[in-house]
Amino acid sequence: MKTVRTVEELREARRSLAGEVGLVPTMGALHDGHLALLAAARAENDAVVMSLFVNPAQFDEASDLAAYPRDEERDLQVAAEAGVAVVFAPSAEELYPSGYQTWVEVEAAAQGLEGDLRPGHFRGVATVCLKLFTLVQPTRAYFGQKDAQQVAVVRALVRDLALPLEIRVVPTVRDVDGLALSSRNGRLGPAERGRALALPRALDVGAEAYRRGDDPVAAATAALDGLTPDYVSLLDLDGALVLAAAARIGTTRFLDNVILEGDLA
Ligand code: PAJ
């Protein structure tokens, strides 16, 4: 596995890859959710490029950026074991050098839910993804269902700018207790983790209600067990209907969703 840190090195490494290339964008602190993306990319492509970049442009709170877990040494080892050919791990200055001034603004897909709660978040996501797609020129790029609105934003970006790649979506990987894996879960104490489990449980209750013909949002909201949601909402993802929710425990935010109808992949 090759680790490259500059745009020039990445371009050179990319030239040495033959056949179809799968890109897995990450912010590191790799867990089994990221590994599922890497496995899908490996299965469907000749080579896998993974980016490892805690993108400052998508953090709306400096404290969240500062607290974001980082363990590059371990991440590189995990990526090598997962069969990644090239890791792109740039500095913030490499992607946003002094004088940087170009941003991508996706409209409707980036509004509501996370977009309303985190001003500028999806502008940062869309911009870094476009830059990664341009640099890596992948055949396919892999995203997790867990961040369903992110999928909607990236799909709009690819469609609207006619980018020559396919977006693939990988189902949410969960811990045995049902909590969606997240780099932020490590911040939870045992009692907080117990409370966080109300989120996936409530989404299941919502999905059940939907199957019965009842209102999934009302059912999930009522099942939150004292957890105060940032939102419980329906999201239309290119025809797939998703029930998405977010809640905050202490300073940590949790997102999760279930598909009510259709298919994201
Ligand atoms: P990050 O949070 O590191 O997530 C990288 C990818 O892993 C995303 O596509 C995310 O949806 C997926 N992922 C996270 N947890 C998952 C889980 N439990 N199951 C399945 N997939 C999961 O999302 C980002 O980084 C950034 O916004 C990025 C796309 C890299 C742009 O900076």
Side-chain angles (χ1 to χ4, degrees):
M1 187 180 79
K2 214 178 274 178
T3 303
V4 296
R5 299 190 184 275
T6 67
V7 164
E8 260 333 290
E9 287 169 353
L10 175 60
R11 290 212 165 104
E12 195 183 315
R14 175 63 182 90
R15 279 194 290 273
S16 71
L17 299 177
E20 297 187 329
V21 171
L23 169 66
V24 180
T26 82
M27 301 202 296
L30 300 181
H31 51 63
D32 285 352
H34 298 110
L35 283 180
L37 269 58
L38 292 172
R42 259 213 97 179
E44 296 175 352
N45 301 276
D46 298 300
V48 176
V49 176
M50 184 186 93
S51 61
L52 199 176
F53 179 59
V54 182
N55 176 28
Q58 71 185 75
F59 284 80
D60 51 312
E61 287 175 22
S63 57
D64 191 29
L65 174 61
Y68 202 82
R70 291 168 172 85
D71 189 347
E72 191 189 90
E73 203 179 317
R74 182 184 161 275
D75 287 343
L76 292 178
Q77 201 180 322
V78 169
E81 283 163 13
V84 171
V86 176
V87 173
F88 178 47
S91 65
E93 295 69 37
E94 183 67 19
L95 287 197
Y96 305 112
S98 130
Y100 189 89
Q101 55 186 294
T102 304
W103 301 96
V104 186
E105 196 86 53
V106 173
E107 294 185 343
Q111 285 155 12
L113 314 185
E114 292 301 300
D116 285 358
L117 284 152
R118 307 182 66 187
H121 171 67
F122 286 123
R123 173 193 202 241
V125 169
T127 302
V128 84
C129 284
L130 177 58
K131 194 151 181 177
L132 291 169
F133 296 162
T134 307
L135 287 168
V136 175
Q137 301 185 18
T139 315
R140 302 177 186 88
Y142 294 79
F143 291 84
Q145 180 202 321
K146 190 182 76 93
D147 301 285
Q149 195 179 8
Q150 173 165 274
V151 169
V153 167
V154 171
R155 282 211 169 135
L157 170 78
V158 166
R159 190 171 52 229
D160 291 349
L161 299 183
L163 304 177
L165 76 154
E166 186 188 342
I167 299 301
R168 305 281 290 143
V169 182
V170 175
T172 303
V173 178
R174 299 176 181 281
D175 247 327
V176 281
D177 58 9
L179 192 65
L181 294 184
S182 161
S183 309
R184 294 184 172 93
N185 289 0
R187 294 187 203 164
L188 289 177
E192 291 173 321
R193 193 182 167 94
R195 290 185 60 211
L197 283 171
L199 192 59
R201 286 192 193 126
L203 289 168
D204 281 345
V205 170
E208 190 83 357
Y210 182 77
R211 286 192 285 271
R212 281 197 313 266
D214 292 338
D215 177 358
V217 172
T221 306
L224 273 171
D225 207 14
L227 210 61
T228 310
D230 282 340
Y231 57 79
V232 178
S233 220
L234 291 174
L235 191 64
D236 183 348
L237 254 173
D238 295 327
L241 186 63
V242 172
L243 178 65
R248 199 178 283 255
I249 296 178
T251 54
T252 306
R253 291 193 69 237
F254 292 89
L255 311 188
D256 204 346
N257 65 73
V258 286
I259 300 177
L260 300 180
E261 229 169 76
D263 189 356
L264 287 189

